[in-house]
Amino acid sequence: ENKKDYSTHFLLAEGGRSHKTIISVPRAHPYSTAIVMGPTRKRARIGNDDECREGKVAGALSAPDPDLEPFVELPFRGEHKKAVSAVSFAPINTTRVLCATSSADGSARIWDIDEVVNGGAKNTLESESPVQLQPKSVLYGHNGKGINDVAWSSSGEYAATASDDRTGRIWDVEKSTALIELKGHKNFVFTCRFNPRSSLIATGSFDETVKLWDVRTGDCVSTIVAHSNPVTAVDFNTDGTCIASGSYDGLVRIWDTATGECFKTVHAELNPPVASLKFSPNGRFLMAGTLDSKIRLYDVFHNQSSTDGSQPRGGKCAKTYQGGHKATRFCSFNAFLTANPDRKCVVTGSEDGKICLYDLQKRNIVQVLEGHTEPVLALDAHHSIELIASGGIKEDRWVKFWMPSNLVDRDNN
């Protein structure tokens, strides 16, 4: 469908984040000068992270903290019929611990793990085989096409999905019914997020646009011509005034939600494709996973001083995490693990089937979790509990959960 000059391949295709088909996209551009972007046709400022000079990388495996128990796989798991594309924990204000997952099998599933996480079940680490969970609800409705992403509303009552059928959908989680179909994209819809008030949904698509939708009516209220390649990630900041978008073109852009104007653009050297984005809990930093096996933490509201007297450049790269995970082919998720103030981490899946925990401040590898047999693309960390969810692809279609070992068998202590 795209007639641009192709020089690389985007391994994403019909049915999820790890597709069997190969979709070609054009090479990343150097973007050495300002470019014209967006409906307002304003000039966007370009900032390179200069290999993150301000936060030099660190990737050594540190000695375990004797006061902190290591994460272990919990003795229960969920399952999809095909690759797991995304996992997402329900918001902190929900009364139970719920996790939503999406899959190339065309479904999104809601898992109620409250009892097993909070000690109601008697499963322990000594269980001979994991208990297979049954979903609380299953959401079908994208004409059998793969679902690439799932997101919760702030109340936990609703979920949004993004699909290869070129639509997004809003669901009543309790009733397992689709309420609104979001139609308007011209290619696969790859990512979706509610704003903090849950009045808007942002979707990103292979048609290179970001669309904003009114949650009440399903009307598209804004279309942002965002990138020159497929949009792989979107996220709102904590007050909803800004939207971040990432793309296979290697750029991260920050947009004004109200006007659609791009007011900041950042990119890493050589423009590695952007795989994921997530604002930090305080809203100041933006975490960007890229397909050069690195995760960068940008201070997106920091203006770097330019050397030529021109406008300030884009956000400063404060930290880089690398050495413990592999990300070169697939778009995988990253998460902030901050429930325990003594163990604040950046968590990411890896194409070697592992999960890596980096110390948020020191950037060293805290722990590497092993349990999946295929690449781990789907990953999330709970907001208030030391709890991680992960999902595998290909033949490993399991949804797995991880907690510190002292919390798993506490009933037996």
Side-chain angles (χ1 to χ4, degrees):
E1 294 182 3
N2 199 324
K3 296 182 179 180
K4 296 179 181 178
D5 176 25
Y6 302 122
S7 62
T8 185
H9 293 95
F10 198 17
L11 294 176
L12 277 172
E14 204 168 306
R17 290 179 173 258
S18 70
H19 296 153
K20 295 182 179 178
T21 346
I22 296 179
I23 297 177
S24 295
V25 296
R27 68 171 71 89
H29 300 289
Y31 290 104
S32 57
T33 59
I35 58 174
V36 177
M37 271 302 305
T40 59
R41 313 308 293 174
K42 298 289 184 70
R43 284 187 172 270
R45 295 193 292 273
I46 303 299
N48 189 292
D49 68 357
D50 294 329
E51 296 184 311
C52 299
R53 292 194 191 100
E54 296 83 359
K56 292 185 173 61
V57 299
L61 180 62
S62 61
D65 188 328
D67 297 325
L68 294 174
E69 294 290 334
F71 276 80
V72 295
E73 180 182 347
L74 298 186
F76 56 87
R77 59 189 183 181
E79 184 182 19
H80 275 276
K81 296 179 181 179
K82 291 184 179 179
V84 183
S85 56
V87 299
S88 179
F89 284 111
I92 192 172
N93 58 342
T94 51
T95 57
R96 301 183 66 80
V97 180
L98 302 177
C99 182
T101 60
S102 60
S103 170
D105 63 15
S107 75
R109 303 186 178 207
I110 309 298
W111 310 91
D112 186 339
I113 58 173
D114 190 81
E115 289 187 0
V116 285
V117 166
N118 289 314
K122 300 301 180 182
N123 299 317
T124 68
L125 289 173
E126 288 74 32
S127 299
E128 293 184 2
S129 59
V131 175
Q132 186 161 338
L133 298 172
Q134 297 302 313
K136 170 183 170 66
S137 57
V138 181
L139 313 179
Y140 284 114
H142 282 286
N143 303 312
K145 296 291 186 179
I147 300 177
N148 298 309
D149 201 4
V150 60
W152 290 89
S153 68
S154 57
S155 66
E157 297 178 80
Y158 307 104
T161 51
S163 172
D164 283 345
D165 70 355
R166 306 185 181 188
T167 73
R169 298 205 180 198
I170 303 173
W171 304 81
D172 183 310
V173 172
E174 188 65 32
K175 297 179 180 178
S176 303
T177 55
L179 302 176
I180 296 176
E181 185 178 35
L182 308 176
K183 297 181 68 174
H185 280 293
K186 298 178 181 179
N187 209 325
F188 303 141
V189 184
F190 195 65
T191 178
C192 61
R193 287 294 179 273
F194 283 91
N195 71 341
R197 296 175 56 192
S198 296
S199 58
L200 295 173
I201 290 177
T203 55
S205 169
F206 272 39
D207 65 13
E208 304 172 1
T209 70
V210 172
K211 288 182 179 290
L212 295 181
W213 310 83
D214 187 310
V215 169
R216 294 169 301 174
T217 64
D219 294 334
C220 179
V221 298
S222 178
T223 297
I224 301 172
V225 183
H227 292 273
S228 60
N229 282 168
V231 178
T232 54
V234 294
D235 197 24
F236 285 94
N237 67 339
T238 50
D239 64 7
T241 57
C242 300
I243 309 166
S245 65
S247 167
Y248 203 83
D249 62 14
L251 300 184
V252 175
R253 287 199 163 104
I254 313 297
W255 308 86
D256 185 295
T257 304
T259 66
E261 178 182 350
C262 176
F263 64 87
K264 191 160 292 184
T265 302
V266 295
H267 66 96
E269 187 180 23
L270 302 180
N271 294 81
V274 179
S276 64
L277 293 175
K278 194 173 187 68
F279 274 101
S280 62
N282 66 9
R284 176 180 172 182
F285 297 93
L286 181 66
M287 179 167 58
T290 48
L291 295 188
D292 57 355
S293 298
K294 295 180 182 179
I295 301 169
R296 295 172 174 86
L297 196 63
Y298 290 104
D299 186 349
V300 290
F301 300 109
H302 172 90
N303 284 327
Q304 291 177 285
S305 298
S306 58
T307 57
D308 57 2
S310 61
Q311 287 181 314
R313 288 163 43 186
K316 179 178 72 172
C317 179
K319 296 182 184 295
T320 300
Y321 308 89
Q322 67 174 21
H325 73 288
K326 180 181 179 182
T328 59
R329 302 176 63 206
F330 304 124
C331 287
S332 58
F333 288 95
N334 311 311
F336 290 101
L337 179 69
T338 57
N340 183 349
D342 295 324
R343 178 165 39 195
K344 292 186 177 182
C345 297
V346 166
V347 188
T348 183
S350 179
E351 291 171 10
D352 59 10
K354 300 175 183 178
I355 299 166
C356 183
L357 281 68
Y358 293 99
D359 186 283
L360 180 61
Q361 298 299 331
K362 299 177 181 178
R363 293 158 288 146
N364 54 282
I365 302 167
V366 174
Q367 189 180 354
V368 176
L369 308 180
E370 300 187 22
H372 286 280
T373 58
E374 300 284 359
V376 177
L377 310 186
L379 184 132
D380 195 19
H382 198 275
H383 320 283
S384 61
I385 306 170
E386 282 197 284
L387 175 64
I388 297 169
S390 60
I393 66 171
K394 299 181 180 178
E395 299 305 313
D396 182 352
R397 304 178 297 273
W398 299 107
V399 179
K400 298 191 174 188
F401 301 92
W402 314 76
M403 290 184 76
S405 57
N406 62 309
L407 299 181
V408 175
D409 59 352
R410 59 190 168 190
D411 285 349
N412 294 337
N413 291 336

